[in-house]
Amino acid sequence: MQILKDEIKNRIIEAATEVFFDTGFIQASTRRIIEKAGVSKGNLYNYFQSKEELFYNIVAPVFNYMRYVLEETFGHGDSETFNPSEINLLANKLCELLSDYRRQFIILLSKSQGTKYEDCKDMLINKLSEHFLKNFKPESDKEKLQILMKVAAMNTVNALLEIARNYKDDQWAKSNVELLMKYHLSGITQFY
Amino acid sequence: MQILKDEIKNRIIEAATEVFFDTGFIQASTRRIIEKAGVSKGNLYNYFQSKEELFYNIVAPVFNYMRYVLEETFGHGDSETFNPSEINLLANKLCELLSDYRRQFIILLSKSQGTKYEDCKDMLINKLSEHFLKNFKPESDKEKLQILMKVAAMNTVNALLEIARNYKDDQWAKSNVELLMKYHLSGITQFY
Amino acid sequence: MQILKDEIKNRIIEAATEVFFDTGFIQASTRRIIEKAGVSKGNLYNYFQSKEELFYNIVAPVFNYMRYVLEETFGHGDSETFNPSEINLLANKLCELLSDYRRQFIILLSKSQGTKYEDCKDMLINKLSEHFLKNFKPESDKEKLQILMKVAAMNTVNALLEIARNYKDDQWAKSNVELLMKYHLSGITQFY
Amino acid sequence: MQILKDEIKNRIIEAATEVFFDTGFIQASTRRIIEKAGVSKGNLYNYFQSKEELFYNIVAPVFNYMRYVLEETFGHGDSETFNPSEINLLANKLCELLSDYRRQFIILLSKSQGTKYEDCKDMLINKLSEHFLKNFKPESDKEKLQILMKVAAMNTVNALLEIARNYKDDQWAKSNVELLMKYHLSGITQFY
DNA sequence: AATGAATGAGGCTTCATTCAT
DNA sequence: GATGAATGAAGCCTCATTCAT
């Protein structure tokens, strides 16, 4: 029975992941989810309290891992100069994440409207952006660079999303992230 | 009176633009639109067959203009070498578009889920991406560069979106697009 | 159209009053209400925001009138001795109310579980009870009389409810309220 | 084991009594009952066919005892004159009942909406009321007194309920019932 | 053309009860 | 006897669209 329960739970999660991935949280209907999962309407609620809680079950692990990685990488505000390898490290860690949770990552960052995570992508971009700015020397004209850094941060995040969308295997992802970083850094560093 | 009054039609379009811009197509409710437009529920449907058709009225001009510009710029597959100024030109044209249609542009590219344009952003990115690739010499390892070019295309599009979102005036937009191009090109050209 | 609208609204209110009266708020189903009213599901919500708001529309006038009457009658805490005619006055006012709103009165006091008025009957009883107590001389053993006064208050309220339930005409109600008061007072005054 | 374990049955009954007492029949959820009883959902239905039957198990003994007491006291229609002590006797018997079954009594009379006992309180009041009337001499104006007697009956029942709700110990209950009777009788006898 | 009342499919969720293990 | 997963009817409510006036 325990096994059965897990099997159903996984079936629901898998079905919901597909539906959330296809349509985003708001448009995802519980009907489609239960049909895909082969589960009755009522039974869904034996496993998850609500559509929203089901969503969080799918997406929270990725969110928490991401937050942890960000704090590990950027948390200590003591890096005096911009450290390119830092971002590379970050990217690699996220890259690992993708091998298991690419759809969840995509859902979290681009299909979570209507949930408490709906600003997650913006937050991520802002954090990255702020971090980029911190590394400029004081005499730099931060005013002017603000939007550029935001664009750079967006690019990074969107590139990661794109890599997630096209994910083939770990090797593939890694080499693409490296390319991305190379591209990104040569773009950004010229402004230092 | 057979002829529908333009004034009302415009009021609806303006109201709908605001609402689509604020909430996206799916979340936009006809109620909010008619309230903003000061029009009755029934009358909305004298001017537009459906919420979707109303959406297309708002967004199609931008879409068509964009397609036209793309074809003009990239359509003739005869450019033998990659031409950076080409992208610049494209960007400038889009930049002009922004001064009149920034909201519509944003809606088209990022608020059209649930409509036939929901893949528009991806299409745009793909077209740009293909074009970037075409300009590499045959001996280049296109395989490897494919995703990179996709990322480059995404960056361009997203940067334009970000500029649109923060649009202040023509001058401001232009200078930012230039910064963007500079950033973008130094990143991309290193792979040629 | 205005007339039509009012007619439907009244039909809904009448149907809902019946259903609330029969089953109480919680058990009242919107389905039964719309069937009784001959109205479509959606249309109900063109007239009332929710089942709860519909309930309040039916019951609030009675509640407000009752509160007003109570304050008028008991509000000024200056009556030094127990004044029987006071209650008589109150009863008469409520009696007037019954001629128009007997069902609403019954619903408010005994069918409002699940709404913000669910403690209304208790509040009424407590207010009455406190008022009874205030009129005893200080040397009286209030401790012992507390529950008795509560019972007396309950009796009064329940008697009114019973009169409401059996309401035939104004004359009938009035004479019964008088009987009630007579009965009530000879019971209560022996403790002074 | 064919014989159901009394211990479990009792646990269910005790839990259900609490829940019915707190929320009334309709609002009582089987989930809360089984949680309180520490019993599985399915097993509940090995002991009771339905939520309703469970309710009857709890409430029927009190109901039957009450009916028995009523018949004993009022059943033989031969008492020619109104006998105040009769009611006192009845009250005392009910008072005894309270020491063991106050919750069940309260549930039966005021939490049974949605069950076949939902009119029990009214029935009780009517029986009492009829009995009061029988004791008036024929020349009395029964017409006029009918509702008054009903009110008197209601008062009695509601007072008993209130005493049940505030029950502290047998002594307390007894003295309150006496007070109640005193109050009640001085009210009612004036009409003879 | 204009109005806004009317519709009904579909949304999410609850809950008593059944049933396979 | 015991378990708790499974069921499905019913609950309240939203919303784009239609239609009578």
Side-chain angles (χ1 to χ4, degrees):
Chain A
M1 189 62 80
Q2 192 57 25
I3 288 162
L4 185 63
K5 220 195 145 183
D6 278 357
E7 198 232 317
I8 298 281
K9 187 166 189 172
N10 289 337
R11 248 161 56 200
I12 293 173
I13 285 186
E14 176 54 29
T17 303
E18 281 175 36
V19 176
F20 287 138
F21 186 79
D22 285 352
T23 66
F25 175 78
I26 294 169
Q27 284 291 91
S29 82
T30 52
R31 196 170 51 68
R32 264 193 75 196
I33 292 171
I34 61 167
E35 275 165 10
K36 254 206 166 97
V39 157
S40 79
K41 209 188 313 185
N43 205 21
L44 176 65
Y45 290 87
N46 286 330
Y47 293 88
F48 303 96
Q49 285 175 31
S50 65
K51 178 179 153 184
E52 202 159 345
E53 205 235 350
L54 170 56
F55 184 83
Y56 296 149
N57 253 271
I58 289 171
V59 130
V62 176
F63 178 77
N64 291 327
Y65 182 72
M66 222 177 67
R67 197 170 48 184
Y68 165 77
V69 169
L70 280 176
E71 268 164 29
E72 281 292 297
T73 319
F74 297 153
H76 33 66
D78 53 350
S79 67
E80 294 201 355
T81 64
F82 179 64
N83 185 355
S85 72
E86 194 166 65
I87 291 160
N88 212 335
L89 185 67
L90 167 69
N92 271 303
K93 276 187 184 153
L94 290 173
C95 187
E96 282 168 29
L97 181 69
L98 297 187
S99 87
D100 290 329
Y101 297 107
R102 44 175 290 275
R103 284 177 311 166
Q104 290 83 340
F105 179 74
I106 292 166
I107 293 170
L108 174 62
L109 290 195
S110 62
K111 314 272 189 174
S112 58
Q113 211 205 104
T115 76
K116 69 179 178 192
Y117 292 126
E118 66 187 353
D119 296 328
C120 180
K121 187 180 179 182
D122 286 346
M123 273 167 39
L124 180 57
I125 288 172
N126 285 336
K127 260 193 184 144
L128 233 61
S129 174
E130 280 165 29
H131 185 70
F132 291 170
L133 274 172
K134 261 196 301 194
N135 288 295
F136 282 100
K137 299 196 192 75
E139 68 264 24
S140 306
D141 182 0
K142 289 200 179 185
E143 206 69 48
K144 263 190 184 171
L145 294 178
Q146 214 149 11
I147 193 165
L148 194 75
M149 288 306 103
K150 182 148 194 181
V151 165
M154 277 181 47
N155 287 352
T156 308
V157 172
N158 283 316
L160 281 171
L161 266 172
E162 190 60 18
I163 289 168
R165 285 197 189 96
N166 296 284
Y167 185 88
K168 278 154 200 164
D169 55 57
D170 285 17
Q171 188 51 44
W172 180 93
K174 213 148 223 162
S175 78
N176 271 299
V177 170
E178 271 160 33
L179 268 178
L180 163 69
M181 291 295 115
K182 212 170 142 197
Y183 162 75
H184 170 73
L185 290 177
S186 65
I188 208 172
T189 50
Q190 69 179 299
F191 295 103
Y192 285 93
Chain B
M1 209 194 321
Q2 224 20 15
I3 292 102
L4 296 165
K5 283 195 240 157
D6 276 356
E7 192 235 328
I8 291 189
K9 187 165 190 173
N10 289 337
R11 246 161 52 203
I12 294 173
I13 285 186
E14 174 55 27
T17 303
E18 283 175 36
V19 176
F20 287 138
F21 186 77
D22 286 349
T23 66
F25 175 77
I26 293 165
Q27 294 281 89
S29 81
T30 52
R31 195 171 54 65
R32 265 193 73 196
I33 292 171
I34 60 160
E35 275 167 9
K36 262 208 161 100
V39 160
S40 78
K41 208 149 208 187
N43 208 20
L44 175 66
Y45 288 84
N46 286 329
Y47 291 86
F48 303 96
Q49 285 174 33
S50 66
K51 179 178 149 183
E52 204 159 345
E53 204 235 352
L54 170 56
F55 184 84
Y56 297 151
N57 257 271
I58 288 170
V59 130
V62 177
F63 178 77
N64 292 327
Y65 180 72
M66 225 176 64
R67 198 169 48 185
Y68 165 77
V69 169
L70 281 176
E71 268 164 27
E72 279 294 294
T73 319
F74 300 151
H76 32 69
D78 53 349
S79 67
E80 293 202 356
T81 64
F82 179 63
N83 185 355
S85 73
E86 194 167 64
I87 293 161
N88 213 333
L89 184 67
L90 167 68
N92 271 303
K93 274 187 185 155
L94 289 173
C95 188
E96 279 167 30
L97 180 69
L98 295 188
S99 86
D100 289 330
Y101 296 106
R102 46 176 288 275
R103 285 176 310 166
Q104 291 82 340
F105 180 73
I106 293 166
I107 292 170
L108 175 61
L109 293 196
S110 63
K111 313 269 191 178
S112 57
Q113 210 207 105
T115 76
K116 70 179 177 190
Y117 290 126
E118 64 186 355
D119 296 326
C120 178
K121 187 180 177 183
D122 286 345
M123 275 165 39
L124 178 57
I125 288 171
N126 286 335
K127 267 204 177 129
L128 231 61
S129 172
E130 280 164 28
H131 184 69
F132 290 169
L133 273 172
K134 262 195 300 194
N135 288 295
F136 283 99
K137 302 196 189 75
E139 68 266 23
S140 305
D141 182 359
K142 290 202 180 182
E143 205 68 47
K144 264 191 182 169
L145 293 179
Q146 210 150 14
I147 189 146
L148 194 74
M149 289 306 103
K150 183 147 193 181
V151 164
M154 275 182 47
N155 287 353
T156 308
V157 172
N158 284 316
L160 281 171
L161 264 173
E162 190 62 16
I163 288 166
R165 284 195 191 99
N166 295 281
Y167 184 89
K168 277 155 200 164
D169 56 56
D170 286 18
Q171 188 50 45
W172 180 94
K174 218 151 220 160
S175 81
N176 270 298
V177 170
E178 271 160 33
L179 263 181
L180 163 69
M181 290 295 114
K182 208 172 148 197
Y183 163 73
H184 171 71
L185 289 177
S186 66
I188 208 170
T189 49
Q190 68 179 300
F191 296 102
Y192 286 94
Chain C
M1 189 63 78
Q2 193 55 28
I3 289 161
L4 185 62
K5 220 195 146 185
D6 278 356
E7 198 233 317
I8 298 280
K9 187 165 189 172
N10 289 338
R11 247 162 56 201
I12 293 174
I13 283 186
E14 176 54 28
T17 302
E18 282 175 37
V19 176
F20 287 139
F21 186 79
D22 285 352
T23 66
F25 176 77
I26 293 169
Q27 285 291 91
S29 81
T30 53
R31 195 169 51 68
R32 265 194 75 196
I33 292 171
I34 61 167
E35 276 166 9
K36 254 207 166 98
V39 158
S40 77
K41 208 191 318 186
N43 205 21
L44 175 65
Y45 292 86
N46 286 331
Y47 293 87
F48 303 95
Q49 285 175 31
S50 65
K51 177 179 152 183
E52 203 160 343
E53 205 234 351
L54 171 55
F55 184 84
Y56 296 150
N57 253 271
I58 289 172
V59 131
V62 176
F63 178 78
N64 292 327
Y65 181 72
M66 222 177 67
R67 198 169 48 185
Y68 165 77
V69 168
L70 280 176
E71 268 162 29
E72 281 292 296
T73 318
F74 297 152
H76 32 68
D78 54 350
S79 68
E80 293 201 355
T81 64
F82 179 64
N83 185 354
S85 72
E86 193 167 65
I87 292 161
N88 212 334
L89 184 67
L90 166 68
N92 272 302
K93 276 187 184 153
L94 290 173
C95 187
E96 281 168 29
L97 180 69
L98 296 188
S99 87
D100 289 329
Y101 296 108
R102 44 175 290 276
R103 284 176 311 165
Q104 291 82 338
F105 179 74
I106 293 166
I107 292 170
L108 174 62
L109 291 195
S110 62
K111 314 274 190 174
S112 58
Q113 210 205 105
T115 77
K116 68 179 178 191
Y117 291 126
E118 66 187 354
D119 296 327
C120 181
K121 187 180 179 184
D122 286 345
M123 273 167 38
L124 180 57
I125 287 172
N126 286 335
K127 260 194 184 142
L128 232 62
S129 173
E130 279 163 30
H131 185 70
F132 290 170
L133 274 172
K134 260 195 303 196
N135 289 293
F136 282 99
K137 300 195 191 77
E139 68 264 24
S140 306
D141 182 0
K142 289 201 181 185
E143 205 69 47
K144 263 190 184 170
L145 294 178
Q146 214 150 12
I147 193 165
L148 194 75
M149 288 307 102
K150 182 148 196 183
V151 164
M154 278 182 46
N155 287 351
T156 308
V157 172
N158 284 316
L160 281 171
L161 266 171
E162 190 59 20
I163 290 167
R165 286 197 188 96
N166 296 283
Y167 184 89
K168 277 154 201 165
D169 56 57
D170 286 17
Q171 188 50 45
W172 181 94
K174 214 148 222 164
S175 80
N176 271 299
V177 170
E178 271 159 34
L179 268 180
L180 162 68
M181 290 295 115
K182 210 170 147 197
Y183 162 74
H184 170 73
L185 289 176
S186 65
I188 207 171
T189 49
Q190 68 179 298
F191 295 102
Y192 285 93
Chain D
M1 207 193 323
Q2 224 16 20
I3 292 102
L4 296 164
K5 283 196 244 155
D6 275 356
E7 192 236 328
I8 292 190
K9 187 164 189 173
N10 288 338
R11 248 162 50 203
I12 294 174
I13 284 187
E14 174 54 28
T17 303
E18 283 175 36
V19 176
F20 287 138
F21 185 77
D22 286 350
T23 66
F25 176 77
I26 294 164
Q27 293 282 86
S29 80
T30 52
R31 196 171 53 64
R32 264 193 75 196
I33 292 171
I34 60 159
E35 275 166 10
K36 261 210 163 99
V39 161
S40 79
K41 209 151 206 188
N43 208 20
L44 176 67
Y45 287 84
N46 286 328
Y47 290 87
F48 302 96
Q49 285 175 32
S50 67
K51 178 178 149 183
E52 203 158 346
E53 204 234 352
L54 170 56
F55 185 84
Y56 296 151
N57 257 271
I58 288 170
V59 131
V62 175
F63 178 77
N64 292 327
Y65 180 73
M66 225 176 65
R67 197 168 48 186
Y68 165 78
V69 168
L70 281 175
E71 269 164 27
E72 280 293 297
T73 319
F74 299 151
H76 33 67
D78 53 351
S79 67
E80 294 201 356
T81 65
F82 177 63
N83 185 354
S85 72
E86 195 166 64
I87 292 160
N88 211 334
L89 185 67
L90 167 68
N92 271 303
K93 275 185 185 156
L94 289 174
C95 187
E96 281 168 31
L97 181 69
L98 295 188
S99 85
D100 289 330
Y101 296 106
R102 46 175 290 275
R103 287 176 308 167
Q104 290 82 339
F105 179 73
I106 293 167
I107 293 170
L108 174 62
L109 291 195
S110 64
K111 314 270 190 175
S112 58
Q113 209 206 105
T115 75
K116 70 179 177 192
Y117 290 125
E118 66 186 356
D119 296 327
C120 178
K121 188 179 176 182
D122 287 345
M123 274 166 38
L124 178 57
I125 287 171
N126 286 335
K127 268 201 177 130
L128 231 61
S129 172
E130 281 164 28
H131 184 69
F132 291 169
L133 274 171
K134 262 195 302 194
N135 289 294
F136 282 99
K137 302 196 190 73
E139 69 265 24
S140 306
D141 182 359
K142 290 202 181 185
E143 205 69 49
K144 264 192 184 170
L145 294 179
Q146 211 151 12
I147 189 150
L148 193 74
M149 289 306 104
K150 183 147 193 181
V151 164
M154 275 182 49
N155 288 352
T156 308
V157 172
N158 283 317
L160 281 172
L161 264 173
E162 191 61 17
I163 288 167
R165 285 197 190 98
N166 294 283
Y167 184 89
K168 278 155 200 164
D169 55 55
D170 286 17
Q171 187 52 43
W172 181 93
K174 219 152 218 158
S175 81
N176 270 297
V177 171
E178 271 159 34
L179 263 181
L180 162 69
M181 289 296 113
K182 209 171 146 196
Y183 163 74
H184 171 72
L185 289 176
S186 66
I188 208 172
T189 51
Q190 68 180 297
F191 296 101
Y192 285 95

